[in-house]
Amino acid sequence: MITLIRRVAAVCALSTALAACGTGRPPQAAPPVSAPPSRPPTLAPGPAGLTPVFEHGPRTRRTVALTFDADMTAGQGARAAAGERFDHPRLISTLRALKVPATVFMTGRWAEQYPDQARSIGRDPLFEVANHSYSHYAYTRDCYGLPTVPEGRMRSDVERAYAAFRKAGVTDPMPYFRFPGGCYDRRALKALTPAGVTAVQWDVVGGDAFESDPDVVARQVLDGVRPGSVVVLHCTRSAAPATERAVRAIVPELRREGFTFVKVSELIAAADSGARTRPEGR
């Protein structure tokens, strides 16, 4: 009898691929294996392995990326405590209402001051959060009067900002970095190479910093946009009070002209794809 039972058990084990032993039911399917999350697109390192710099996407597609710098320095904490607003929730609400994807280049200090907003932006699929340094200090000398980050601390400054994003609840910040003031040199590009970021500049300046007339901002953007453009604007009420009203004029006009709004990651992906498919030597 024992021998018979063992034989039956062996037959059951061998036949489980056809039916569950003794039940007549098919075996349970194995749980699906989820694909690993795709990595955000970046550009290959530049000459001598330097940090690559991205300014605009392919000129063959009528796409445009609106980017917003959320600036705040460590020294502005007292001003924020006194009531000055370095955030701009109404601008973010307008982008959501208009269904406009955007990339927000955030300083770590901004994320610390407004963690709920940072988390909300970072978890909204309409947006992506990228790095704008920890405290908006310049990475070169003579950059609009900004204090400078010593060369030996440039990488750690970027990493400190990423740490602030994650502490605020931004789970997937993008591997993109915007130099404060847009100022960089070879020394800065070399210092950031180990950080593995793509530096993102722009080809259209919105001119919204300290501008109170939204029509001026809107006209500057509309006159400058070309297919693949990256537009730089700001996400700070005190320093860019006209931006939200300008966006309400910019978005419908560009859509009428046939433009589609995308995030920076989509422009970089398109540029990288074009570089890989371009015939060698061109």
Side-chain angles (χ1 to χ4, degrees):
M1 177 64 73
I2 294 174
T3 302
L4 177 61
I5 291 173
R6 286 175 176 170
R7 287 178 180 173
V8 170
V11 170
C12 287
L14 290 172
S15 63
T16 52
L18 300 177
C21 182
T23 66
R25 295 192 303 269
Q28 294 294 316
V33 178
S34 58
S38 58
R39 297 182 63 184
T42 55
L43 296 183
L50 298 179
T51 298
V53 180
F54 178 77
E55 294 181 352
H56 60 78
R59 297 301 192 189
T60 55
R61 308 181 186 186
R62 293 184 75 78
T63 53
V64 57
L66 297 185
T67 70
F68 298 89
D69 291 356
D71 298 342
M72 188 172 181
T73 70
Q76 290 172 334
R79 288 163 56 182
E84 185 172 348
R85 300 308 301 246
F86 297 92
D87 61 341
H88 206 329
R90 186 171 180 179
L91 169 62
I92 299 301
S93 295
T94 294
L95 292 170
R96 285 174 169 146
L98 294 173
K99 296 180 172 59
V100 178
T103 303
V104 179
F105 285 87
M106 193 180 291
T107 66
R109 185 63 187 87
W110 195 97
E112 290 175 346
Q113 185 69 35
Y114 306 108
D116 292 344
Q117 293 185 56
R119 181 169 56 254
S120 176
I121 294 169
R123 295 185 179 182
D124 188 332
L126 194 63
F127 306 123
E128 60 189 12
V129 170
N131 197 312
H132 196 32
S133 79
Y134 174 75
S135 194
H136 206 255
Y137 283 12
Y139 283 58
T140 66
R141 300 181 184 86
D142 302 322
C143 181
Y144 302 102
L146 294 173
T148 57
V149 179
E151 183 176 355
R153 297 182 184 174
M154 290 180 181
R155 178 184 176 183
S156 62
D157 184 69
V158 171
E159 292 171 345
R160 185 181 182 189
Y162 278 125
F165 301 157
R166 294 189 176 95
K167 184 176 181 180
V170 180
T171 54
D172 296 302
M174 304 301 282
Y176 309 143
F177 178 75
R178 174 164 286 166
F179 288 100
C183 304
Y184 70 92
D185 54 19
R186 182 182 178 86
R187 182 177 60 98
L189 294 178
K190 183 178 180 180
L192 293 190
T193 297
V197 295
T198 293
V200 176
Q201 296 289 94
W202 56 82
D203 66 324
V204 178
V205 178
D208 60 337
F210 307 107
E211 176 58 64
S212 59
D213 187 343
D215 292 337
V216 171
V217 178
R219 181 45 48 199
Q220 187 153 322
V221 171
L222 294 172
D223 287 346
V225 163
R226 298 169 59 196
S229 280
V230 175
V231 181
V232 59
L233 293 161
H234 292 82
C235 187
T236 48
R237 265 185 284 177
S238 60
T243 306
E244 186 270 338
R245 288 172 291 161
V247 164
R248 283 191 270 128
I250 291 166
V251 169
E253 180 58 32
L254 286 179
R255 282 177 169 159
R256 276 192 292 269
E257 294 178 11
F259 282 92
T260 299
F261 293 96
V262 298
K263 291 175 275 192
V264 164
S265 58
E266 296 171 74
L267 287 186
I268 291 179
D272 183 53
S273 174
R276 285 186 282 107
T277 59
R278 189 178 303 124
E280 193 169 337
R282 299 179 114 190

